[in-house]
């Protein structure tokens, strides 16, 4: 193109130089061939891409996976042969297990179209794992598979509510995602008994909300909160220490204890720690050195603190049970489980919050529950009646940074909830071969 254009220009002026001048006049100009641009109609317009980065001109059909339906059966019914399906499955081995596609999730099938607009060959398949993450199968010249995520928009939101009934009911009436109720309970697990909330208690929460394609996609972390319970204000400020997200009060003391307040999400306490209780199976009065948490069978049970499993077995009285030594002072026990979690056995080291088993009614039990036991220096104690040690406070070298962050968050808590707190921040997740990549939003 450039060569033809050069010949035409030079030929019309009878010149062989790479630049030329006009006839003598009051002004002169030099035109360089390098300044001549290709004509715009020679350039193909960029394709318009959809939310998955695929050309919108392709025909797309969305199929919702049915129970017991496999990827191979779906694709075989849409023109792909057995060899193509095998190559696709083989290419995805290290990225995604196609056998783990869940019923009800959407599968998008992209095809080229003929001159009449009818779909022809499938060129892309997209499986949406959830609202954010998806797996893209390319079936063009070569087959390759990538795991990616849609851009996520994070907005900071402030709400202020007075309790009517329960925190859960209050959040529901305000149209807030129930995840925030659980997050708030986790933050204040040791400061507030959420089963004894009073009408009139109130709270303010500064938190992150996630949006995908303009729709709410869950709750992010709580940045700060103040909960007024029984006339007393309890504050929580988020701060990263030792590369961990933690919460501290106004003085920099950790809100987290070395042990969780309870090893599971329970519906009620069916029996408390006592030295004299009528046993429903043995039909006699005897000590009950544990706390019974009533919960549906299969409810996950978590280790209340870091430690090592010293016992993991079954016996006729305790059923499936586990005992964990946390340090030289404290041990905990978990009785009547339906089963142990995978990999849990004597000698296994566990972390606080790790699932170790599931609620059941094994051994001498009349209903589905967990009997939780706690020992201090080998002596059974009621964990709800002792002041358990807190986690580490703000370290001296982090104190100035924490105080600055606390002031900033406290100022935001005082803003009218109807005001705009922060401009939304957009970040993307790339779940390809290089792992997860996201910006660190503080």
């Amino acid at each position: 193109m450039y060569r033809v254009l050069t010949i035409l220009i030079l030929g019309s002026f009878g010149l062989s130089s790479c630049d030329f001048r006009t006839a003598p006049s009051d002004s002169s100009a030099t035109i360089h061939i390098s300044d001549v641009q290709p004509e715009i109609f020679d350039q193909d317009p960029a394709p318009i891409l959809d939310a998955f980065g695929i050309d919108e001109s392709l025909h797309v059909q969305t199929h919702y996976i049915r129970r017991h339906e496999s990827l191979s059966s779906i694709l075989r019914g849409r023109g792909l042969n057995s060899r193509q399906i095998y190559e696709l499955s083989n290419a995805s081995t290290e990225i995604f297990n196609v056998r783990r596609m869940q019923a009800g999730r959407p599968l998008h099938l992209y095809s080229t179209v003929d001159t009449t607009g009818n779909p022809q060959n499938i060129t892309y398949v997209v499986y949406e794992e959830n609202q954010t993450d998806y797996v893209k199968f390319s079936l063009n010249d070569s087959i390759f598979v990538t795991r990616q995520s849609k851009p996520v928009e994070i907005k900071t939101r402030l709400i202020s509510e007075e309790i009517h009934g329960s925190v859960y009911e209050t959040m529901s009436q305000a149209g807030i995602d129930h995840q925030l109720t659980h997050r708030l309970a986790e933050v204040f697990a040791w400061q507030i008994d959420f089963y004894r909330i009073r009408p009139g208690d109130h709270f303010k929460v500064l938190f992150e909300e996630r949006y995908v394609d303009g729709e709410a996609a869950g709750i992010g972390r709580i940045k700060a909160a103040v909960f007024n319970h029984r006339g007393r204000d309890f504050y929580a400020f988020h701060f990263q220490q030792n590369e961990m997200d933690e919460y501290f009060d106004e003085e920099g003391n950790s809100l987290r204890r070395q042990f969780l307040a309870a090893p599971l999400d329970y519906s009620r306490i069916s029996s408390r720690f006592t030295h004299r209780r009528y046993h429903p199976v043995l039909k006699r009065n005897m000590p009950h050195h544990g706390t019974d948490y009533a919960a549906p069978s299969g409810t996950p049970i978590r280790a209340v603190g870091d430690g090592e499993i010293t016992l993991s077995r079954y016996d006729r009285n305790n059923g499936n049970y586990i005992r964990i030594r946390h340090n030289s002072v404290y041990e905990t026990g978990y009785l009547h489980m339906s089963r142990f979690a995978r990999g849990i056995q004597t000698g296994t080291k566990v972390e606080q919050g790790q699932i170790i088993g599931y609620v059941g009614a094994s051994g001498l039990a009349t209903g589905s529950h967990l009997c939780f036991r706690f020992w201090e220096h080998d002596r059974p104690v009621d964990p709800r009646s002792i002041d358990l040690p807190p986690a580490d406070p703000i370290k001296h070298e982090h104190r100035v940074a924490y105080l600055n962050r606390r002031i900033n968050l406290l100022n935001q808590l005082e803003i009218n909830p109807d005001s705009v707190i922060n401009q939304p921040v957009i970040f993307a997740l790339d779940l390809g071969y290089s792992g997860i990549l996201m910006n660190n939003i503080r």
Side-chain angles (χ1 to χ4, degrees):
M1 177 69 186
Y2 282 107
R3 185 175 180 184
V4 172
L5 186 59
T6 301
I7 294 172
L8 289 174
I9 292 174
L10 296 181
S12 63
F13 287 92
L15 300 174
S16 60
S17 172
C18 288
D19 61 85
F20 60 91
R21 300 181 186 277
T22 62
S25 66
D26 294 337
S27 62
S28 62
T30 301
I31 299 177
H32 297 276
I33 296 304
S34 59
D35 293 334
V36 180
Q37 299 296 323
E39 297 184 48
I40 58 174
F41 53 75
D42 286 344
Q43 300 178 2
D44 294 328
I48 300 175
L49 306 181
D50 66 7
F52 305 107
I54 300 175
D55 191 341
E56 283 192 349
S57 66
L58 293 174
H59 177 274
V60 59
Q61 178 185 9
T62 299
H63 172 84
Y64 289 90
I65 300 172
R66 305 184 185 94
R67 289 188 63 188
H68 308 303
E69 194 173 37
S70 66
L71 179 64
S72 61
S73 65
I74 296 171
L75 297 181
R76 191 176 293 112
R78 287 167 172 78
L80 267 68
N81 58 45
S82 298
R83 180 174 181 80
Q84 288 174 306
I85 296 172
Y86 169 78
E87 289 177 351
L88 185 147
S89 299
N90 192 50
S92 66
T93 301
E94 296 182 5
I95 306 299
F96 177 73
N97 187 343
V98 296
R99 295 184 180 87
R100 293 184 178 177
M101 289 185 170
Q102 297 180 359
R105 297 304 307 168
L107 190 72
H108 307 289
L109 307 169
Y110 291 79
S111 306
T112 56
V113 293
D114 59 19
T115 54
T116 61
N118 293 317
Q120 296 296 303
N121 300 320
I122 294 178
T123 56
Y124 292 99
V125 176
V126 175
Y127 169 67
E128 290 194 69
E129 293 184 276
N130 49 53
Q131 198 169 359
T132 305
D133 307 319
Y134 62 93
V135 180
K136 182 161 69 174
F137 305 85
S138 174
L139 288 78
N140 289 290
D141 295 334
S142 60
I143 295 176
F144 64 92
V145 183
T146 57
R147 178 186 258 121
Q148 298 174 298
S149 287
K150 296 179 181 179
V152 177
E153 183 182 29
I154 291 185
K155 297 180 181 179
T156 299
R157 183 176 178 185
L158 176 66
I159 62 169
S160 178
E161 297 291 339
E162 182 175 325
I163 303 296
H164 298 286
S166 67
V167 178
Y168 183 89
E169 291 170 340
T170 302
M171 293 286 195
S172 296
Q173 292 169 5
I176 305 298
D177 192 310
H178 295 152
Q179 287 181 350
L180 186 61
T181 305
H182 298 295
R183 299 277 173 85
L184 195 62
E186 290 173 354
V187 169
F188 290 111
W190 284 103
Q191 288 69 38
I192 299 170
D193 186 344
F194 279 79
Y195 287 90
R196 296 184 180 180
I197 294 295
R198 290 180 175 180
D201 287 356
H202 52 274
F203 61 87
K204 265 189 175 184
V205 187
L206 184 72
F207 64 101
E208 295 172 343
E209 274 192 314
R210 297 159 55 88
Y211 289 83
V212 176
D213 294 335
E215 297 183 2
I219 301 298
R221 64 187 171 197
I222 291 175
K223 300 175 75 173
V226 56
F227 203 116
N228 184 279
H229 178 52
R230 297 173 181 255
R232 178 185 171 188
D233 284 337
F234 294 88
Y235 282 90
F237 302 100
H238 170 267
F239 188 77
Q240 282 193 336
Q241 181 167 263
N242 301 329
E243 298 183 354
M244 292 180 59
D245 290 317
E246 298 197 51
Y247 292 90
F248 301 88
D249 65 14
E250 310 96 301
E251 304 300 324
N253 299 308
S254 176
L255 300 190
R256 180 173 61 89
R257 297 283 175 167
Q258 287 187 3
F259 299 100
L260 299 176
L264 75 169
D265 293 330
Y266 60 95
S267 56
R268 64 187 176 90
I269 294 177
S270 55
S271 183
R272 297 181 182 274
F273 185 98
T274 179
H275 295 293
R276 182 180 175 84
R277 184 198 71 159
Y278 182 76
H279 196 287
V281 177
L282 299 178
K283 308 296 183 184
R284 65 174 186 266
N285 290 321
M286 57 188 303
H288 181 250
H289 291 158
T291 302
D292 287 352
Y293 294 98
S297 181
T299 300
I301 299 167
R302 303 178 186 276
V304 296
D306 298 348
E308 181 179 341
I309 295 178
T310 56
L311 282 175
S312 174
R313 68 185 187 191
Y314 174 88
D315 72 29
R316 63 183 302 272
N317 293 325
N318 300 328
N320 293 314
Y321 80 102
I322 285 173
R323 185 160 175 159
I324 300 175
R325 181 173 60 244
H326 301 284
N327 50 38
S328 60
V329 178
Y330 299 108
E331 290 183 88
T332 54
Y334 312 78
L335 286 60
H336 307 304
M337 294 189 290
S338 60
R339 60 188 175 92
F340 304 122
R342 181 177 298 178
I344 294 298
Q345 58 187 356
T346 300
T348 301
K349 294 185 183 300
V350 294
E351 297 179 352
Q352 185 182 77
Q354 180 177 337
I355 295 175
I356 57 174
Y358 302 88
V359 169
S362 59
L364 294 181
T366 57
S368 177
H369 75 287
L370 169 71
C371 178
F372 175 64
R373 302 201 170 187
F374 201 95
W375 293 272
E376 183 179 36
H377 294 297
D378 291 325
R379 180 176 63 89
V381 295
D382 182 358
R384 303 176 70 85
S385 67
I386 62 176
D387 187 19
L388 294 170
D392 295 334
I394 290 292
K395 293 183 178 180
H396 177 73
E397 59 267 29
H398 299 156
R399 193 157 189 82
V400 172
Y402 172 71
L403 293 177
N404 289 334
R405 179 163 175 78
R406 185 200 68 183
I407 292 171
N408 177 268
L409 293 174
L410 193 58
N411 288 337
Q412 293 185 56
L413 277 177
E414 298 303 320
I415 296 175
N416 186 323
D418 295 328
S419 302
V420 175
I421 305 303
N422 276 338
Q423 292 297 321
V425 179
I426 297 177
F427 69 94
L429 298 180
D430 179 5
L431 300 180
Y433 293 100
S434 58
I436 300 177
L437 174 67
M438 72 171 74
N439 65 338
N440 187 17
I441 301 174
R442 295 293 180 90

